[in-house]
Amino acid sequence: MQTDELIDLLAADAGPVGRYAPAQRLGLGAGVGSIAILMLVLAWLGLRPDLAAAVGGAFFWIKAAYTAALGAAGFWAVERLGRPGVSARRPAVLGASILALFVLAGLAQVVSLSGPARLIAVKGVSWTVCTRNIAILAAPSLLITLLIMRQLAPTRPTLAGFAAGAFSGGLAATLYGLHCPEATFVFVALWYTLGVAVSAVVGAAIGRWWLRW
Amino acid sequence: MDELESTLKPLMLDGLNGDAKAHAQLLKLLSERLRAYFGRRLSASPDDVEDLVQETLLAVHLRRATYDRAQPFTAWAHGIARYKLVDHWRRRKVRATAPLDDVADFLASAPVDTDSGLDLTRVLSTLPARQRALVEDVKVLGLSLSEAGRRGGLSEGAAKVALHRALKLLAERLRHADR
């Protein structure tokens, strides 16, 4: 087929594509993903028994703010990486800064503690399951986000998958806070962060081949 | 450079608003630019150039929802062209021999002769019969979409949907065509 013939074909299909802009589609996907994760938390893990008291304390919200901020940076990166010719430098810097800030807070806490207290802070009561739970909870959102991204035009598929995983991990970790009673900087900086990281790496591994177009 | 942007962007915006003539003119101008762009980078395999031009035009068309009207059009189109080139090299397992370029390089070009795409012809023959008939009627007979649809017993709306699906399928199969 001659290229001119192809152009005539494409011209016959002119006009806007899809009713929603990429950001709107991703936003809608984030909403559906949040609901899916929330249902999973409720059905599988259950709420922490002291939730009513916990929401009155500061750390519940500090923890939620950290993971939600990671997720927000991820979402911003996803939205930009889905569009050709747009840089994702700023969301990457934002995500790395949030991460560094919280890890520093965790380190400061580790240093301030000594001996048995330090180990208790690091391990909490759930260090063996925390990272795994967050990674599993992230799965529905990761799937939805990647499905939407396949309709966009990610020119860096691995990076786009990483961002999708970071976004989903941040979302999952935030909702996981409804179940998980851990309340130290050390624990969250280590195990929560690791959960988000696992989700991001899984996203990158899938994106590397699945986000090609 | 700014001249190209100021030519192409209004055409893109008109095309997004449903102006088929503007859309055709945009793709026409873009195809010349792409031919030169790929030609310089695929001097070892000139046969692939037109196939890649066609694949990129399809991508530009089918993924135009990712174009933000506030964004420079040339940056967006260059992003797609470069991705298609890198993807082509990856599939061919060829390491990039040309240095990766920037937008300025994409804009600077000299016209090259048109050649026919072999893959698209082959891929077209694998489409479902109804879609192929519609495509052939629009392409070869130069019928309007609604006329071609009527020949195939489709309403204008159904013909639009069928054409769009056919183009998506073409793009998908073109990318996986054995080369």
Side-chain angles (χ1 to χ4, degrees):
Chain A
M1 192 195 299
Q2 298 286 332
T3 300
D4 286 347
E5 296 174 326
L6 174 67
I7 290 173
D8 289 343
L9 268 184
L10 299 180
D13 189 43
V17 165
R19 278 163 60 200
Y20 299 101
Q24 288 173 304
R25 293 186 216 178
L26 289 165
L28 205 66
V32 175
S34 305
I35 293 168
I37 294 170
L38 186 60
M39 306 239 286
L40 203 52
V41 168
L42 295 176
W44 172 39
L45 301 168
L47 299 175
R48 57 190 280 188
D50 63 342
L51 184 62
V55 296
F59 197 79
F60 178 88
W61 297 107
I62 292 173
K63 185 165 84 166
Y66 167 58
T67 51
L70 281 185
F75 183 87
W76 189 16
V78 164
E79 196 275 324
R80 293 184 69 83
L81 286 168
R83 299 188 284 121
V86 176
S87 157
R89 182 185 294 267
R90 278 181 296 160
V93 169
L94 177 69
S97 309
I98 294 163
L99 185 88
L101 205 66
F102 207 88
V103 167
L104 275 177
L107 280 175
Q109 196 176 34
V110 166
V111 170
S112 74
L113 297 170
S114 62
R118 181 181 288 174
L119 201 61
I120 288 169
V122 170
K123 286 186 166 180
V125 295
S126 63
W127 72 280
T128 51
V129 295
C130 173
T131 295
R132 184 204 68 190
N133 285 353
I134 289 172
I136 292 173
L137 287 174
S141 167
L142 181 56
L143 178 68
I144 293 167
T145 308
L146 290 174
L147 275 171
I148 296 169
M149 286 203 94
R150 276 171 62 80
Q151 306 301 317
L152 305 180
T155 55
R156 277 161 293 179
T158 309
L159 201 58
F162 185 89
F167 157 63
S168 301
L171 195 60
T174 306
L175 293 168
Y176 182 62
L178 295 171
H179 162 76
C180 166
E182 304 289 356
T184 65
F185 282 97
V186 190
F187 188 93
V188 175
L190 185 55
W191 305 113
Y192 272 60
T193 305
L194 211 56
V196 177
V198 167
S199 173
V201 169
V202 169
I206 299 174
R208 189 179 168 78
W209 58 270
W210 207 41
L211 290 181
R212 296 200 179 281
W213 46 285
Chain B
M1 183 188 305
D2 289 340
E3 194 185 318
L4 187 71
E5 175 67 28
S6 59
T7 310
L8 295 187
K9 186 165 178 173
L11 292 173
M12 176 69 173
L13 296 181
D14 288 348
L16 283 170
N17 290 332
D19 183 341
K21 275 208 178 106
H23 196 50
Q25 201 190 338
L26 170 82
L27 295 172
K28 177 85 187 140
L29 291 171
L30 198 58
S31 71
E32 291 164 8
R33 198 60 51 158
L34 290 170
R35 203 165 287 125
Y37 175 81
F38 292 134
R40 262 175 291 146
R41 284 162 185 77
L42 296 173
S43 47
S45 49
D47 294 350
D48 292 342
V49 171
E50 203 59 26
D51 290 335
L52 210 48
V53 168
Q54 296 186 342
E55 199 187 320
T56 306
L57 288 177
L58 270 162
V60 161
H61 174 77
L62 290 171
R63 296 187 188 255
R64 63 197 186 279
T66 65
Y67 174 67
D68 180 345
R69 290 162 191 249
Q71 188 190 2
F73 173 78
T74 39
W76 179 79
H78 171 254
I80 293 181
R82 189 169 67 169
Y83 172 75
K84 283 296 174 188
L85 181 66
V86 171
D87 190 56
H88 171 82
W89 274 330
R90 186 188 60 86
R91 278 177 291 162
R92 280 298 186 83
K93 303 200 191 312
V94 174
R95 214 166 269 279
T97 47
L100 276 183
D101 49 273
D102 54 19
V103 177
D105 189 35
F106 176 64
L107 297 173
S109 73
V112 180
D113 285 343
T114 311
D115 201 354
S116 64
L118 297 172
D119 284 346
L120 198 52
T121 309
R122 203 166 70 222
V123 163
L124 185 59
S125 66
T126 71
L127 284 187
R130 204 168 195 188
Q131 291 183 359
R132 193 173 66 235
L134 187 72
V135 165
E136 292 286 353
D137 287 350
V138 173
K139 174 179 83 76
V140 181
L141 303 177
L143 296 180
S144 76
L145 186 57
S146 57
E147 287 167 338
R150 218 173 300 132
R151 268 170 61 100
L154 294 172
S155 70
E156 188 171 354
K160 260 186 184 152
V161 173
L163 176 66
H164 190 69
R165 282 204 189 129
L167 293 174
K168 278 175 111 161
L169 205 55
L170 268 183
E172 185 67 22
R173 295 203 174 153
L174 187 58
R175 204 174 94 79
H176 294 111
D178 276 330
R179 301 201 186 156

